[in-house]
Amino acid sequence: MPIDIAIVGAGPAGLTLARSLHGSGLGIALIDPQSREALAEPAFDGREIALTHASRRLLEAAGIWSRLDPQAIAPLREARIVDGHGATPLTIGSGDRTPLGFLVANQAIRRAAFDAAIGGDGVSLFDGCRVVALDTARQDRTVLQLSDGRSLAARLVVAADGRYSTTRRLLGIGARQRDFGKTMLVCRMMHERPHGAVALEWFDHGQTVALLPLAGRCSSLVLTLPPLEIERLIALDDEAFGVEITQRLRGRLGAMQPAGSRHAYPLVASFADRFAGPRCALVGDAAVGMHPVTAHGFNFGLLGQARLAAAIRAGADSPGGDVADPARLARYAREHRRETEPLYRATQLIVSLYTDERAPARWLRAAVLGAAARLPPLQRAIAARLTGHAHRLPG
């Protein structure tokens, strides 16, 4: 089958896009440097994804949610945001028994998405190779040169290869990037006391901590510190690591012990200058790589692929049958930017304020958090954003 769409990057955004185009009759190439075996059975990477209700609906529509083990889905009842030693947290809840969201391991989502995407008609996997060059001289197609010597021509190229996207650069699209100079350590921790399905976001002095509730007395720890501190923590044995994390959390959930491997990620945010261009588009972190403090990066990726899939289908079904119709790609880019840029910019301000240890900043953030805690309408608005009820889904 001829290649209509080349999706570069078989991560969750790229895989879900391929699945969202199932039944369209289009020929789709998925290109990724990992082997088929590694993509089918991804290794645990420590990351737990907070999914909104809107994202759940998108995963259901793509046939991915049903492939997840129900025991691996942890409901999130409430989120609490704490500043420093402040005793009054900002508490966000759905207001009823509906979960605020759901926590699922990135590993589980990737496995389910691969199973769903590769099982679809018209999807070809080009694994174990990278895109090393793009030839855009032809008006109707782009030729992709792969690292293994193969080449293929596609009517539309989609960059879905992460916030450091090589494909984005080959397309001549720049990105604003911010390196926060910090590293995130993520791992699962067992603890003495129950978490009550409550997530904690704690802007403590000198560190930022998130605890995401999983099944049983287990939580995902996300600890942000300078890189050398993270290296020291990763080198500790399990007993010493558990003691230090217990102390860092001041015994909030009792004694803690690691329940698996530890993983470190540099903290870098990115925002592409353009989300689409001639016969190309960006999705996932290649378009918007969010700071994890708002837990919205993955959700934006799912929303973006759904919008792009709708644009591609509309183009394919139009009289001209162009999956890369410029007007439709421009509309996708415009709508996705409108959705993501305000929160991206707000996140930069939040992180700047809540990681500034100077006295005026400490006073201001305590005042802001205290005021928000006393404004139920604001809390409801934040809850609507977190649950995804504030999103308008495509279709």
Side-chain angles (χ1 to χ4, degrees), residues 69-155:
D69 179 359
Q71 299 301 313
I73 302 170
L76 175 61
R77 181 175 63 84
E78 191 175 275
R80 293 175 187 165
I81 305 170
V82 181
D83 172 53
H85 305 299
T88 305
L90 171 60
T91 300
I92 307 298
S94 64
D96 52 30
R97 293 186 177 182
T98 303
L100 193 62
F102 310 90
L103 290 158
V104 185
N106 187 52
Q107 175 194 32
I109 296 173
R110 292 175 69 100
R111 182 189 299 118
F114 182 84
D115 184 46
I118 298 303
D121 295 335
V123 177
S124 301
L125 178 64
F126 292 74
D127 62 318
C129 60
R130 304 174 184 273
V131 176
V132 295
L134 295 173
D135 181 356
T136 59
R138 295 172 58 177
Q139 289 189 344
D140 61 336
R141 289 183 180 273
T142 297
V143 177
L144 300 88
Q145 186 67 44
L146 307 184
S147 58
D148 60 6
R150 289 180 292 178
S151 63
L152 57 94
R155 293 198 287 161

Side-chain angles (χ1 to χ4, degrees), residues 6 8 23 66 98 110 117 132 143 163 174 222 255 261 272 323 344 349 363:
V8 186
S66 61
T98 303
R110 292 175 69 100
V132 295
V143 177
R163 65 189 68 198
V222 184
S261 54
V323 297
Y344 180 85
L349 293 174
W363 178 87

Side-chain angles (χ1 to χ4, degrees), residues 240-297:
F241 182 74
V243 169
E244 177 154 346
I245 296 304
T246 301
Q247 292 172 345
R248 283 182 174 275
L249 287 165
R250 299 182 194 145
R252 285 174 178 266
L253 293 176
M256 305 185 80
Q257 281 295 318
S261 54
R262 304 167 215 169
H263 304 263
Y265 299 96
L267 208 51
V268 178
S270 65
F271 199 92
D273 294 341
R274 293 182 287 126
F275 292 170
R279 301 212 164 272
C280 68
L282 278 57
V283 293
D285 281 1
V288 184
M290 291 284 290
H291 187 291
V293 69
T294 58
H296 252 67

Side-chain angles (χ1 to χ4, degrees), residues 12-14 16-17 20 49-56 58-59 109 158-160 163 269-272 275 282-309 332-348 350 382 384-394:
T16 307
L17 175 61
S20 295
I49 307 301
L51 295 168
T52 64
H53 287 265
S55 289
R56 173 178 176 166
L58 290 172
L59 291 173
I109 296 173
V158 178
R163 65 189 68 198
S270 65
F271 199 92
F275 292 170
L282 278 57
V283 293
D285 281 1
V288 184
M290 291 284 290
H291 187 291
V293 69
T294 58
H296 252 67
F298 192 96
N299 296 290
F300 277 154
L302 289 179
L303 188 62
Q305 67 78 30
R307 282 200 176 103
L308 181 57
Y332 153 72
R334 185 168 58 252
E335 290 181 348
H336 198 48
R337 179 175 292 272
R338 186 185 304 129
E339 177 77 28
T340 58
E341 189 163 21
L343 188 57
Y344 180 85
R345 290 181 177 274
T347 299
Q348 309 307 302
I350 291 169
I382 296 173
R385 167 65 67 171
L386 292 174
T387 57
H389 296 321
H391 295 310
R392 291 176 56 193
L393 297 181

Side-chain angles (χ1 to χ4, degrees), residues 93-231:
S94 64
D96 52 30
R97 293 186 177 182
T98 303
L100 193 62
F102 310 90
L103 290 158
V104 185
N106 187 52
Q107 175 194 32
I109 296 173
R110 292 175 69 100
R111 182 189 299 118
F114 182 84
D115 184 46
I118 298 303
D121 295 335
V123 177
S124 301
L125 178 64
F126 292 74
D127 62 318
C129 60
R130 304 174 184 273
V131 176
V132 295
L134 295 173
D135 181 356
T136 59
R138 295 172 58 177
Q139 289 189 344
D140 61 336
R141 289 183 180 273
T142 297
V143 177
L144 300 88
Q145 186 67 44
L146 307 184
S147 58
D148 60 6
R150 289 180 292 178
S151 63
L152 57 94
R155 293 198 287 161
L156 175 66
V157 175
V158 178
D161 49 345
R163 65 189 68 198
Y164 306 108
S165 173
T166 299
T167 310
R168 181 181 63 210
R169 179 175 289 275
L170 290 173
L171 289 167
I173 299 175
R176 288 171 277 159
Q177 292 193 325
R178 180 175 176 185
D179 187 335
F180 294 92
K182 300 291 179 65
T183 298
M184 266 190 328
L185 183 152
V186 292
C187 66
R188 291 179 174 179
M189 301 291 293
M190 301 299 297
H191 39 77
E192 282 186 314
R193 294 200 285 272
H195 48 53
V198 175
L200 170 70
E201 183 79 36
W202 183 17
F203 296 98
D204 194 16
H205 302 320
Q207 64 177 8
T208 301
V209 181
L211 278 178
L212 309 176
L214 304 177
R217 294 190 179 185
C218 181
S219 293
S220 174
L221 169 73
V222 184
L223 176 63
T224 303
L225 288 167
L228 290 178
E229 271 295 281
I230 296 295
E231 288 181 18

